[in-house]
Structures are given as C-alpha cells and as structure tokens.
C-alpha cells in the first residue's frame, strides 16, 4: 500500500462549534480527532487585529501537534470588496493596505499560500443573479478586468514576502477564467484554491476542472456533490466526500501529478451543516450566453453525473435531497461529515494501485 501523499484537515471557519471554541479550541479539537491541520478562511479568523503574539502562539500550537496551518485574505474583486469592511478597517480605510497588513502578518508566521475569492453567491431567492457573475450594473468581463488589475497591484507585496494568493474556484468563476488570471499575473504570485463542489455550478465536469487547474493548485476545499434535474436545469447539493458522484480517485491523481517536485498538497474538508440551494439554470439563455468557454464534453459529463445521482437516489443507494441533512443540524452530524470525508480521501491514497491490466477508467461510478 502507498502512504498518504496529501494530508487531510478541516476548515477552521466551518468546524462544528468554531465560534464557541475559538481558533485555539479548533486546533486542539483537530489534533484530538486525528485530523492533519486547519485552514482558517481568513487570517483574521485567527486574530481579528492581527496580533503578532497570538498568531505566533497559534503557529506554535499547530507545530507542536504536527498540524498544518493555512489561512487566507478575502475578496480581490473591487466591485465586491465593500462587502468586507473588516479588511478596510485593518488598512485604516484602505483595502489594499489592509490586505498588505494581512499578508505581512501571515508571512511572519510562515503562512505563504493565502486563499482569496473573486465574488460571492448571494441569495438563492435572487435566482440567476444569486451569483455576482450575472450583475447588470457591471458585466462579468469588467469584473474580471478589475480583478486582474487589483491582483497586479497586490503582486509586488506578495512577491516581497514570498507569498501567493490562491483564487478559489468559486460559484461565480470558471476554471478557464481562474487559469487566465493566474497566467496573466504570474503563478509565483497567484495560484488556485480548488473547490470541486463549486465548479458544477458553472456547468463543469469536476475531474476535467481539476485537471485544468492542477498545475496551479496550492490549497483546497474538499466536498462532494449530488445533482438533480429541475425545471430550470439542475440543482447541486453538497455532501461529504464519498457520499456523492465526484471521482476523487481521478481528482487526487491529477493533483498528485503536479506535486512530484514540490511539497504535498493539503486536502481541507469544508463541511456544511444544512442543505444548501444552488441552482444550475442550464435552460436559461442568459446562463448559456455567459459560458462561452464551457466545453461540450464538460456539460455532457455533468448531465451524466446528474443521471447517476438520480439513479442512486431512486435505488436507495444514497439519501434523497430532503433526507440527507438532519433537521435541526447537529454538531455531531457535522463531525461525522468530516470523519467520513477524511476516511474516504485517506483510503483512496492508501489503496493498492491497480496494474495496467486491471486499471479502470477515470470516469467510473464512485463506489
């Protein structure tokens, strides 16, 4: 058997009871439960005022327990940064200065790969415009251009501190667009945080998406999905890794292929507590027009995965959309979500490798 190549940890912001536990408690619980590390979404989740003493203490706690420690920044879209007043507060009203101070604080405790996102998923009730990609006051292309300009302004700070900002494959952006931003600004300063549950919202095949961004991926959010057909197209539901239809064996192979000469990638489980509602309105002409870079092969694979999801739910192989999440959600259920995900990702890495004679196609149905 192979030893695990990538360690599996947890999301510090969404860890069950995180608000009650505080970052110290999350680190302690992570080690106690046998997980490998913590990815705090923003470094301000570790210390809202970037107190160097507290950050150093958290670094020392993680190191003492052999845990990885990752963190992030925030939004890098000038049309959305007004939503993050805390970052401007850190910069005395200057968002760029606030980001600079966050980068400096992170680098001081050895955190050099830093998460960011490019917009937001707002409210399900807004329909198509729940995703900032479909704003009409500013086009998505204008937003992408503004993001690139902002990243170019941030790049000298990142390079000066040996850091990189990793753009999440979030609900509003395609993997093609993420890769274009990385290559435009430079992969030494900009990389990718891979979240496969999000790429399906843009109509993408999770395995193909992983392969597109694998050369630039330095952080991850790991979670699975099932899909269901709706009158508008499809609905995505988040599930624990192994409880959905993403072929994580193929995904991990794609990621590992680009880490042979670098440090292993950490796999961070982003758990959730309750059913979300993320529509994929494939039948809407506005949605179709907004995806000029979507390969037909991706869309067809997504339809296949939706068929597979519905078939498995009908056969009772996996709970239906209304039966998966408990009501009300509980911390114990969320902890089990994390455990199941970790077990699945670890098992895939420690399983015997198939010989060429017995190898199976990457797109097989997940077990």
């Amino acid at each position: 058997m192979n030893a695990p190549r990538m360690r599996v940890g947890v999301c510090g912001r969404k860890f069950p009871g995180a608000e009650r536990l505080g970052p110290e408690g999350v680190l302690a619980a992570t080690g106690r439960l046998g997980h490998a590390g913590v990815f705090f979404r923003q470094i301000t989740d570790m210390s809202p005022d970037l107190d160097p003493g507290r950050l150093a203490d958290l670094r020392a706690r993680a190191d003492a327990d052999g845990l990885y420690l990752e963190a992030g920044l925030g939004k890098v879209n000038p049309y959305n940064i007004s939503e993050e007043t805390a970052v401007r507060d850190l910069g005395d009203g200057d968002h760029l200065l606030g980001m600079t101070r966050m980068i400096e604080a992170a680098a001081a405790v050895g955190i050099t790969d830093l998460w960011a996102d490019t917009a937001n998923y707002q409210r399900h009730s807004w329909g198509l415009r729940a995703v900032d990609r479909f704003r009409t006051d500013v086009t998505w292309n204008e937003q992408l251009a503004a993001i690139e300009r902002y990243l170019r302004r941030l790049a000298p700070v990142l390079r000066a501190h040996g850091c990189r900002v990793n753009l999440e494959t979030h609900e509003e952006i395609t993997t093609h667009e993420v890769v274009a931003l990385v290559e435009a600004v430079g992969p030494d300063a900009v990389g990718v945080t891979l979240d496969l549950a999000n790429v399906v919202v843009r109509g993408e095949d999770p395995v193909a998406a992983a392969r597109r961004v694998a050369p630039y991926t330095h952080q991850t959010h790991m979670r699975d999905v099932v899909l269901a057909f709706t009158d508008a197209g499809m609905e995505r539901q988040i599930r624990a890794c192994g409880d959905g239809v993403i072929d994580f064996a193929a995904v991990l192979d794609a990621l590992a292929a680009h880490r042979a000469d670098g440090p292993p990638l950490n796999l961070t489980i982003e758990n959730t507590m309750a059913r979300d509602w993320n529509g994929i309105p494939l039948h809407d002409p506005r949605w179709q027009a907004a995806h000029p870079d979507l390969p037909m092969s991706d869309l067809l694979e997504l339809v296949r995965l939706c068929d597979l999801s519905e078939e498995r739910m009908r056969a009772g192989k996996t709970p239906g959309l209304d039966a998966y999440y408990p009501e009300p959600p509980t911390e114990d259920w969320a902890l089990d979500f994390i455990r199941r995900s970790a077990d699945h990702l670890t098992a895939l890495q420690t399983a015997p490798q198939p010989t060429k004679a017995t190898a199976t196609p990457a797109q097989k149905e997940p077990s």
Side-chain angles (χ1 to χ4, degrees):
M1 288 191 179
N2 296 327
R5 296 165 292 178
M6 308 177 210
R7 299 198 293 169
V8 184
V10 303
C11 173
R13 179 174 289 182
K14 293 189 177 181
F15 188 82
E19 195 170 322
R20 181 185 73 253
L21 293 168
E24 293 84 359
V26 170
L27 283 172
T30 298
R32 186 171 62 252
L33 293 169
H35 302 302
V38 181
F39 178 165
F40 289 101
R41 185 69 60 89
Q42 289 179 282
I43 192 167
T44 51
D45 293 345
M46 298 167 64
S47 174
D49 60 355
L50 305 180
D51 178 75
R54 188 177 190 194
L55 291 174
D57 179 66
L58 290 167
R59 169 90 265 178
R61 288 171 185 249
D63 290 346
D65 289 335
L67 302 175
Y68 72 75
L69 187 62
E70 296 184 349
L73 301 175
K75 288 181 172 53
V76 290
N77 181 342
Y79 290 98
N80 295 97
I81 58 178
S82 60
E83 298 171 14
E84 295 187 327
T85 56
V87 178
R88 290 188 66 184
D89 284 341
L90 290 171
D92 303 316
D94 183 334
H95 192 274
L96 191 63
L97 179 57
M99 293 285 265
T100 297
R101 288 173 174 168
M102 293 168 77
I103 292 166
E104 292 170 345
V109 292
I111 301 174
T112 55
D113 273 298
L114 298 161
W115 164 91
D117 67 0
T118 54
N120 211 350
Y121 186 95
Q122 302 287 356
R123 302 177 190 173
H124 174 74
S125 61
W126 290 356
L128 185 74
R129 295 195 178 97
V131 180
D132 285 327
R133 184 184 191 89
F134 297 98
R135 288 172 62 165
T136 59
D137 57 326
V138 56
T139 69
W140 180 240
N141 283 337
E142 288 169 332
Q143 292 180 66
L144 287 172
I147 292 165
E148 182 181 331
R149 287 194 299 271
Y150 188 88
L151 290 171
R152 288 185 183 279
R153 293 188 181 111
L154 202 59
V157 179
L158 292 161
R159 293 183 174 114
H161 292 86
C163 291
R164 177 171 38 223
V165 60
N166 295 310
L167 306 178
E168 181 177 343
T169 56
H170 211 236
E171 285 98 340
E172 71 283 343
I173 193 166
T174 72
T175 53
H176 299 276
E177 292 161 348
V178 169
V179 168
L181 287 168
V182 171
E183 294 178 345
V185 182
D188 61 326
V190 182
V192 175
T193 300
L194 176 61
D195 187 326
L196 288 173
N198 289 335
V199 303
V200 301
V201 178
R202 299 274 58 82
E204 298 186 47
D205 162 22
V207 174
R211 290 172 178 156
R212 278 192 284 272
V213 301
Y216 306 119
T217 296
H218 303 283
Q219 291 176 291
T220 65
H221 287 160
M222 290 285 121
R223 44 197 189 149
D224 212 334
V225 299
V226 293
L227 300 159
F229 290 111
T230 66
D231 290 343
M234 297 180 190
E235 179 188 339
R236 169 197 82 168
Q237 186 181 68
I238 303 296
R239 299 210 170 176
C241 298
D243 287 355
V245 292
I246 293 178
D247 184 352
F248 279 102
V251 168
L252 296 187
D253 283 346
L255 294 173
H258 291 278
R259 306 294 292 195
D261 299 324
L265 186 68
N266 296 321
L267 305 176
T268 295
I269 298 160
E270 184 183 1
N271 62 288
T272 187
M273 293 286 283
R275 176 178 177 174
D276 55 7
W277 298 86
N278 293 109
I280 310 171
L282 302 177
H283 305 321
D284 190 320
R286 296 170 298 174
W287 190 96
Q288 296 167 9
H291 296 82
D293 57 7
L294 178 60
M296 181 63 73
S297 57
D298 277 52
L299 191 55
L300 290 174
E301 175 61 11
L302 198 66
V303 171
R304 187 190 74 83
L305 292 176
C306 193
D307 278 329
L308 176 60
S309 296
E310 293 203 331
E311 176 188 326
R312 295 182 69 189
M313 286 187 281
R314 282 194 303 270
K317 295 180 180 179
T318 192
L321 297 182
D322 294 325
Y324 186 76
Y325 288 95
E327 289 293 343
T330 66
E331 289 186 10
D332 285 345
W333 187 91
L335 287 170
D336 192 57
F337 181 112
I338 295 170
R339 180 195 58 77
R340 294 199 313 277
S341 296
D343 288 350
H344 183 68
L345 295 172
T346 300
L348 288 174
Q349 297 185 77
T350 55
Q353 297 299 298
T355 64
K356 289 185 179 180
T358 60
T360 55
Q363 294 295 330
K364 63 174 283 189
E365 175 181 342
S367 58

